[in-house]
Amino acid sequence: MKDILLIIPPFTQLNTPYPATAYLKGFLNTKNISSFQMDLGIEVILDLFSKKGLENLFSFSEDNPQPATRNSQRIYSLKQDYINTIDSVITFLQGKNQTLARQICSGNFLPQANRFNQVDDMEWAFGSMGMQDKAKHLATLYLEDLSDFIVECVDENFGFSRYAERLGRSANSFDEMYSHLQNELTYIDKVTLKILEERINHTQPKLVCISVPFPGNLYSAFRCAQFIKKNFPEIKIAMGGGFPNTELRSLSDKRVFEFFDFITLDDGELPIELLISHVLNSPPLEGLGEAKRTFVLEQNEVVYKNNSTKADYKQLEVGTPDYSDLRLDNYISVIEIANPMHSLWSDGRWNKLTMAHGCYWGKCTFCDISLDYIKLYEPIAAITLVDRMEEMIAQTGESGFHFVDEAAPPALMKEVALEILRRKLTVTWWTNIRFEKSFYSDLCILLKASGCIAVSGGLEVASDRLLELIQKGVTVEQVAQVTRNFTESGIMVHAYLMYGYPTQTVQETIDSLEMVRQLFELGIIQSGFWHQFAMTAHSPVGMFPEEFGVIPEQNEITFANNDIQFKDKTGINHDKFSFGLKKSLFNYMHGICFDYELQDWFDFKIPNTTIPSDYIISSLEKENKLSTKSSSKIIWIGGKPLTEVYSKSKKGSSWQMSKLTFHCRIETVEISLEKDKADWLLNQLELCSVHNDKQFTFKNLKDNFETKFVDFELFWYSKPIHTLKEIGLLVL
């Protein structure tokens, strides 16, 4: 029995848990409050995509009209092949049956429908990814075929990472959602509620907290709440998470409280702690007393209560995310396209952490910078972060981390990397960043050495005029230089791309595509995704639309309020660019079609680009020569060299030399110096080692050198030191 049940409703990710409940459970641990968490989404998926699940699913489809498309007819005809193979495929994708890869790649093991039509075009792409990844990709196509069948013949709302998403998008009124909730249960509903009932009977909670991160979780959240209200009326139900935080701030429809007792906003720790105190109070209290950012129904009216004088918890106080209770070994790794960077979101089990609450930049005009989750910036100390990493490794057995920051701060990333290296941890991690100039080459090398494999960041509209209007704080030239630094250090780069920003012209859209083409052709961006601009209520564009040349379509708000429909004064229909932009990007991500004319991607006339064909390469050739600051830290991340002393003679005089041999992981490097300078250098490398707590500055190094020798600059810029800089002598 557990008093508190934390739920993520269907569906989010197949490969790793959405972290909201793990964060909340970790906090409750610090208060000695016992709780149980479940990812209802993955449990439903595993039930559906099992031998018994497919037997039931195909049987259910028999009672409905015959499949209308040839694709679904084919899948239905091959139903026994799907039933026979599904358990083996799922265990393979869970990492438990790796030898099946050879069967899958043989070409005649998996039943194939429409999704496999693209295989021939990408067969070559897995040369760099290997048999296991190719098998994962083919198994993913197999699951997507089944998904297509479910959508057509069983439940049109189904999706692997969302369910009935349309009902949660821009739902200014609760009417449509409420109407659907009066309908009979769907097939997916029945599977979901069967699992939920079993868990409630097992845990017997007094408070169920449902975290709703996205619109695609909203309908299922309401279905779950409706079921609990009907069958377990004594249980109180709360909703929190990303969706209410952004969408339900203007909530006034009291019908919502037929399903939920409480809806909390923003950071959930203190609001939930107060709700727990209220619900578990003995004897029960009449009415909600002390509350933090909580909607409740009182006297038949929706009331927003924020009367607690307690301050929100600092990030240092919220504890380490706790993934216990979740079925971590049952998550499914999938590969949708043959791109190593793009697959990070769907392949592998990642522990999720946050380096800093909020965004240190907090200026982008399309972003919700007025809300606390962006506005309140609070970094976490590097030592605390790495402590939490070690705790999570011990708990989950996984050493991969996805830092889910809005934009990880470069200075903190540096300190985290140093702490990881000092502790000699072997971890793999990636995060979201801004492409700012702080990511110089040496910092990227340090991040790579600590286990960073990838970064994602917003290039948005690859136009300097629009980047300035967005207040992104970067230029295209700067983005190119930074992505080059990451790529050369061995860190993959994903770029978020945007089109349709207010006042964006057709010419700027085409020029932006040309910039993107050049970035991919040069190999300094490996993955990307085009998003069409969406105006949100809490962004500067949404709050001050007249300043950005857009006219909002205002609706009465009684339920959700985030995405706002608008008219751009330019009158341009940006929707028509979607297919061409995404098709070109798909090919660029596979390293092909760079020689195609941009016109080839569109079935309507577009203008020629005004961007020179060598714009990006010219940007990379510009040297940003920064003088080394005296306060810069000198860090040695290499090992101790082998030393060989020998004599050198010239014109009758001789002196001792030292040859230092550095065995790096992939190469061996030798340098030679006068013995006294070599001895000094060896001593300094030991002092500057990343494993030392004390850090030495460039000034410390220079002053120490000049107590024994002269002309430090000549020494520092000599060929031997340049060689060391290439293998791990870093200036940070």
Side-chain angles (χ1 to χ4, degrees), residues 4-10 12 18-22 24-25 35-44 192-193 195-197 199-200 203 205 207-213 217 220-225 227-228 235-241 260 326:
I4 315 300
L5 176 60
L6 311 172
I7 298 175
I8 295 287
T12 49
Y18 190 79
T21 57
L24 195 52
K25 185 177 176 72
S35 63
F36 191 94
Q37 64 180 324
M38 68 181 300
D39 180 349
L40 191 50
I42 193 63
E43 296 197 33
V44 171
T192 300
L193 298 179
I195 296 170
L196 177 63
E197 182 176 22
R199 188 52 45 84
I200 289 177
T203 56
L207 174 65
V208 173
C209 301
I210 302 179
S211 183
V212 183
N217 304 97
S220 288
F222 272 95
R223 268 299 190 205
C224 291
F227 175 83
I228 295 170
I235 297 175
K236 298 297 183 183
I237 312 169
M239 181 204 292
F260 290 93
L326 298 174

Side-chain angles (χ1 to χ4, degrees), residues 144-193:
E144 288 176 339
D145 275 334
L146 284 170
S147 173
D148 292 341
F149 180 83
I150 293 172
V151 170
E152 183 183 340
C153 303
V154 178
D155 191 334
E156 64 180 2
N157 293 311
F158 179 75
F160 281 117
S161 60
R162 60 189 60 85
Y163 185 73
E165 183 179 48
R166 181 185 60 80
L167 295 176
R169 281 200 172 278
S170 304
N172 297 154
S173 167
F174 189 53
D175 289 349
E176 188 177 10
M177 176 70 78
Y178 191 76
S179 175
H180 272 75
L181 291 166
Q182 310 314 310
N183 294 340
E184 288 187 13
L185 298 177
T186 67
Y187 185 87
I188 304 298
D189 287 340
K190 291 175 183 177
V191 175
T192 300
L193 298 179

Side-chain angles (χ1 to χ4, degrees), residues 550-566:
V550 294
I551 303 169
E553 297 178 6
Q554 301 289 358
N555 296 320
E556 182 185 0
I557 308 298
T558 58
F559 184 54
N561 180 32
N562 191 38
D563 287 3
I564 301 173
Q565 297 299 313
F566 66 94

Side-chain angles (χ1 to χ4, degrees), residues 71-90:
N71 186 53
S72 290
Q73 290 168 4
R74 173 173 172 77
I75 293 170
Y76 182 79
S77 298
L78 292 168
K79 64 181 180 180
Q80 198 57 51
D81 292 282
Y82 284 103
I83 290 167
N84 292 345
T85 54
I86 188 64
D87 285 345
S88 295
V89 170
I90 292 297

